[in-house]
Amino acid sequence: MYVAVKGGERAIEAAHAWLAEERRGDPALPELSVEQIGQQLGLAVDRVMAEGACFDRGLAALAIKQARGDLIEAAFLLRAYRTTLPRFGASLPLDTGAMRIRRRVSATYKDLPGGQVLGPTFDYTHRLLDFALACDRPGSPDPGRESQAPGLTAAEGNAPPSAPEAPAKAAAMPRVTSILAQEGLMQPETPGEAEPPDLTREPLSFPADRPVRLQALARGDEGFLLGLGYSTQRGYGNAHPFVGEIRMGEVAVEIEPPELGFPIEIGEITVTECQMVNQFAGSKTEPAQFTRGYGLTFGHGERKAMAMALVDRSLRAAELGEEATAPAQSEEFVLYHCDNVEATGFVEHLKLPHYVDFQSELEKIRQMRATALREAAE
Amino acid sequence: MSAVPAARPAEDAAAEGGEDRSDGSAGRLAGYNLGYLDENTKRMIRRTLLKAVAIPGHQVPFGSREMPLPYGWGTGGIQVTAAVIGPEDRLKVIDQGADDTTNAVSIRRFFARVAGVATTERTREASIIQTRHRIPETPLREGQIIVYQVPMPEPLFRLEPRVAETRRMHALADYGLMHVKLYEDIARHGQVAISYNYPVMVNGRYLMAPSPIPSFDNPKMDRMPALQLFGAGREKRIYAVPPYTAVKSLDFEDHPFQPVRAPAACALCGSQESYLDEVVTDDRGGRIFVCSDTDYCHTRQAAQPREAAE
């Protein structure tokens, strides 16, 4: 006789135990520390902070460890923690013009005040696997054989030679878009006085204004935005972008408590900012000028910041009176689908039981086939 | 709503800015507020619920939070349950009609941990029933709340994906598109080709997605004595059907609504009325049918003489 499958609770517990074992891997190998992840997988940490919408390197590294390196799962862990935190205020706008620059490149000017600073970039590396990195210790070419040795101290011996340093330039590094704005060539952005809306407290509604769009894009999935940004370059959205500037470095975060009446600095965060300069043919009322596509991410997230800037500009199609025909120009399409925590939930929920719905589909299909076959026979 | 008086002390605490953070006693998870959500969030959700009840079938946007379970696993239903549950409540959680499916087990355990509430598998004993994809066979009564987990709150989304556009259609009660879809189904297949999440008209005004329950369950929604609440976490919408509200499955006079059910009897309890799951028993076409509502089936089996059940 048939007995319904039971024991869901025990199955879940066993699955969790197995998962914990898999996460740890071979216990003969030293366990990865959260500090190691923070230091040596820094770009993964940056991505998780950006998509998890929470600037905390330690928590992001912990999430990566717990998620076994699944960065979307890690972003989800961070978001689920973030949502339980009290929200006690909004910071003042970051002044990225005053950034302590680690990297700054412009594709529009050969030289400019402050100069070009390559910084720690992959840009001109030759993508050749560096087998020297596979050695845990100097003189052990085969990590597979040697790694079982106990008492590895990671730091010794394999630190790269320190990079040459130059004294920091005292000169200011004005933003390229400000240089263009002086000549009136760049469409100005009007600063808003109102406190920006908070996407995590109020649901999206359409038409969405630009602060909401930028918030959603800043939390959005890097891969999704990359694909969309790419599509605008290939003709789906008619973009003519130049990288006015990419800058990465540290900026101060300031708040202004009402009882004080003046701003105080509460810390410093690393951000990457990309300002794309786009052609705008002008309209009846406005002469031709450049318009801005803007991208900003936590940490060092250049690909994301650039893709975000492309998508931000293409979402301004309606505002600038451009024809909106491409996916990247549809704010509902972009904003409803760029969140990877939402997207992964809904795609993956298909693996939950759907027996009941499937059963009604089965009966429906059987009925419809029976009707069709009966009619064919008549 | 038995949950509301029980939750009131916590709400007063919220007004003062305080919360009922657990110290870990009484089996509740330490460090989290009763029902996981903070009191201000619960209050925001209750206000949304009041609006939803006042406009039956209308989708009300709310500031849905990220929950510790993934979107698609019932985050909307969980938030609604968390907002109405109190220590006096008795919670039943079902998925596909069953109390012992893994996701139902997981959600029930979540509430046992963060709310410390009593749980039950008996439909009659529950004050709140959170469900995915089914309405229990045992008729619900006054005072009970059924909370549906909703993946897509918009009944028109397959016909019109743009939310700005569907909002306009709801505002104008412009549901011609759905009627045309049903008409085309009948013209092409001789019947409406929707078997679950079958659209309903609530209180003669709003077209509503009943969540992916089989169309078999639709008639149970009509003038149900219990309060029906619907939570869509990812889509950030809440809607409701107050007790004794008319809920009509869309149809035509000459093609009345026909719920779908397998033409068989339950192999365990013999029921000819309940909704059945098909169970494949071998790879030679062998199959049996059993009740999807496990509580209903167990109750019937227990009431029968032993031999009859075997």
Side-chain angles (χ1 to χ4, degrees):
Chain A
M1 188 203 113
Y2 169 75
V3 180
V5 180
K6 287 262 187 196
E9 190 139 8
R10 265 177 296 132
I12 290 174
E13 274 166 19
H16 290 178
W18 196 350
L19 178 68
E21 260 183 32
E22 291 278 321
R23 182 194 62 70
R24 178 59 183 86
D26 182 353
L29 292 173
E31 184 166 1
L32 199 55
S33 75
V34 169
E35 291 74 20
Q36 283 174 324
I37 295 170
Q39 289 293 318
Q40 297 173 40
L41 297 176
L43 297 183
V45 170
D46 287 345
R47 181 168 179 180
V48 169
M49 290 196 304
E51 290 167 10
C54 180
F55 195 101
D56 189 315
R57 298 195 70 81
L59 289 179
L62 172 62
I64 291 170
K65 177 174 177 172
Q66 187 178 333
R68 306 177 59 203
D70 179 337
L71 300 188
I72 293 181
E73 177 71 18
F76 177 26
L77 285 169
L78 198 54
R79 289 246 197 119
Y81 177 75
R82 176 198 197 277
T83 194
T84 67
L85 300 175
R87 180 187 181 284
F88 58 82
S91 76
L92 297 176
L94 300 181
D95 181 5
T96 52
M99 177 186 284
R100 217 167 69 241
I101 299 274
R102 279 198 277 154
R103 170 163 165 78
R104 189 266 200 125
V105 290
S106 168
T108 52
Y109 292 106
K110 184 173 181 184
D111 201 5
L112 67 168
Q116 310 254 14
V117 180
L118 276 187
T121 177
F122 291 120
D123 283 357
Y124 304 102
T125 60
H126 295 156
R127 269 58 166 201
L128 305 168
L129 276 177
D130 180 358
F131 291 102
L133 290 177
C135 306
D136 286 331
R137 294 182 299 172
S140 76
D142 183 350
R145 192 154 12 117
E146 293 292 322
S147 60
Q148 303 249 342
L152 288 178
T153 52
E156 287 165 26
N158 56 357
S162 28
E165 290 181 25
K169 288 186 186 134
M173 278 214 199
R175 282 173 294 205
V176 168
T177 45
S178 316
I179 296 170
L180 285 169
Q182 281 167 4
E183 213 183 319
L185 295 179
M186 173 57 79
Q187 188 190 47
E189 311 292 340
T190 42
E193 286 302 309
E195 185 169 325
D198 184 347
L199 194 59
T200 65
R201 301 283 144 159
E202 296 294 327
L204 271 176
S205 63
F206 294 96
D209 58 11
R210 199 158 171 220
V212 170
R213 296 202 303 249
L214 288 170
Q215 265 178 51
L217 296 179
R219 291 153 56 93
D221 182 67
E222 179 173 315
F224 182 78
L225 295 182
L226 179 67
L228 276 179
Y230 179 44
S231 74
T232 68
Q233 289 180 280
R234 292 195 65 264
Y236 289 86
N238 201 22
H240 304 277
F242 294 95
V243 171
E245 181 181 284
I246 293 166
R247 55 172 61 200
M248 183 275 289
E250 281 65 46
V251 290
V253 179
E254 293 181 320
I255 59 166
E256 189 175 304
E259 61 271 30
L260 279 186
F262 55 86
I264 51 171
E265 186 179 326
I266 55 168
E268 207 177 53
I269 61 173
T270 305
V271 296
T272 307
E273 182 187 61
C274 174
Q275 301 220 36
M276 292 271 187
V277 177
N278 293 261
Q279 196 189 89
F280 172 53
S283 64
K284 279 183 190 138
T285 52
E286 282 175 286
Q289 60 184 344
F290 292 117
T291 52
R292 194 183 324 239
Y294 187 79
L296 184 83
T297 68
F298 284 156
H300 190 180
E302 212 159 293
R303 185 188 298 125
K304 163 78 177 278
M306 293 178 75
M308 177 176 167
L310 289 174
V311 176
D312 169 51
R313 175 58 183 81
S314 64
L315 287 178
R316 299 179 64 196
E319 166 200 342
L320 296 170
E322 297 166 342
E323 198 185 4
T325 51
Q329 293 170 315
S330 159
E331 61 175 7
E332 271 208 29
F333 183 83
V334 174
L335 302 188
Y336 268 131
H337 302 116
C338 69
D339 188 295
N340 58 19
V341 176
E342 290 178 4
T344 198
F346 202 42
V347 168
E348 292 200 47
H349 105 285
L350 290 173
K351 66 193 167 189
L352 294 181
H354 284 79
Y355 324 133
V356 164
D357 298 343
F358 186 67
Q359 183 60 38
S360 56
E361 284 288 86
L362 271 177
E363 290 304 327
K364 193 56 141 176
I365 295 278
R366 282 172 183 151
Q367 275 180 16
M368 283 161 61
R369 283 175 62 85
T371 311
L373 292 173
R374 197 169 53 240
E375 280 169 2
E378 277 166 11
Chain B
M1 275 173 77
S2 62
V4 167
R8 202 158 282 149
E11 179 132 27
D12 290 344
E16 295 157 16
E19 289 186 1
D20 182 20
R21 296 256 165 191
S22 170
D23 57 3
S25 61
R28 264 175 56 199
L29 192 63
Y32 286 94
N33 192 34
L34 177 80
Y36 176 78
L37 296 173
D38 60 274
E39 288 303 321
N40 284 323
T41 299
K42 285 200 242 174
R43 188 155 56 175
M44 175 270 293
I45 295 173
R46 286 187 200 125
R47 284 176 177 161
T48 309
L49 286 169
L50 289 175
K51 184 169 177 184
V53 168
I55 317 172
H58 170 61
Q59 303 166 48
V60 187
F62 79 114
S64 174
R65 302 292 191 251
E66 268 118 355
M67 298 298 284
L69 280 76
Y71 289 121
W73 266 242
T75 53
I78 292 170
Q79 289 180 80
V80 169
T81 299
V84 299
I85 204 166
E88 311 294 312
D89 275 303
R90 189 171 285 272
L91 177 69
K92 171 181 167 81
V93 184
I94 50 174
D95 188 336
Q96 314 298 304
D99 298 90
D100 56 0
T101 42
T102 42
N103 198 39
V105 168
S106 166
I107 292 172
R108 191 162 55 238
R109 195 155 70 163
F110 176 74
F111 277 111
R113 284 174 79 192
V114 299
V117 293
T119 59
T120 181
E121 298 192 357
R122 307 295 299 270
T123 301
R124 279 181 221 287
E125 291 171 7
S127 59
I128 301 175
I129 299 165
Q130 181 170 327
T131 180
R132 178 167 171 264
H133 295 190
R134 274 314 307 276
I135 299 174
E137 306 291 357
T138 309
L140 303 186
R141 53 177 162 73
E142 273 184 31
Q144 286 182 309
I145 300 175
I146 179 165
V147 178
Y148 298 79
Q149 300 173 200
V150 180
M152 286 301 280
E154 178 48 67
L156 298 162
F157 84 98
R158 286 188 202 283
L159 306 171
E160 173 53 69
R162 291 170 298 176
V163 175
E165 185 59 21
T166 54
R167 276 172 64 92
R168 191 193 63 80
M169 293 159 77
H170 283 294
L172 300 173
D174 175 8
Y175 299 132
L177 204 57
M178 183 58 86
H179 285 108
V180 170
K181 183 290 189 268
L182 299 189
Y183 170 79
E184 285 181 347
D185 274 5
I186 292 168
R188 201 173 296 161
H189 310 293
Q191 57 183 300
V192 175
I194 306 173
S195 62
Y196 62 93
N197 210 353
Y198 190 105
V200 293
M201 188 64 90
V202 178
N203 202 27
R205 173 58 180 84
Y206 281 99
L207 188 69
M208 188 185 90
S211 88
I213 56 173
S215 60
F216 174 85
D217 281 341
N218 275 20
K220 296 175 186 163
M221 303 181 92
D222 186 35
R223 298 176 203 284
M224 183 191 279
L227 172 63
Q228 306 179 67
L229 304 176
F230 300 78
R234 187 181 41 78
E235 295 286 332
K236 304 175 177 58
R237 296 285 187 278
I238 281 172
Y239 51 102
V241 175
Y244 302 108
T245 304
V247 177
K248 189 176 183 315
S249 304
L250 286 196
D251 62 358
F252 297 102
E253 276 173 20
D254 51 347
H255 280 88
F257 168 73
Q258 284 180 326
V260 179
R261 178 184 180 274
C266 173
L268 300 179
C269 75
S271 173
Q272 309 261 9
E273 285 86 42
S274 69
Y275 189 77
L276 302 173
D277 282 341
E278 183 169 328
V279 178
V280 176
T281 51
D282 55 43
D283 57 1
R284 297 180 307 276
R287 59 202 59 209
I288 59 167
F289 292 87
V290 294
C291 292
S292 106
D293 183 337
T294 47
D295 170 55
Y296 172 84
C297 195
H298 294 162
T299 308
R300 279 179 52 90
Q301 288 177 60
Q304 289 162 4
R306 229 182 143 63
E307 324 77 77
E310 288 183 13

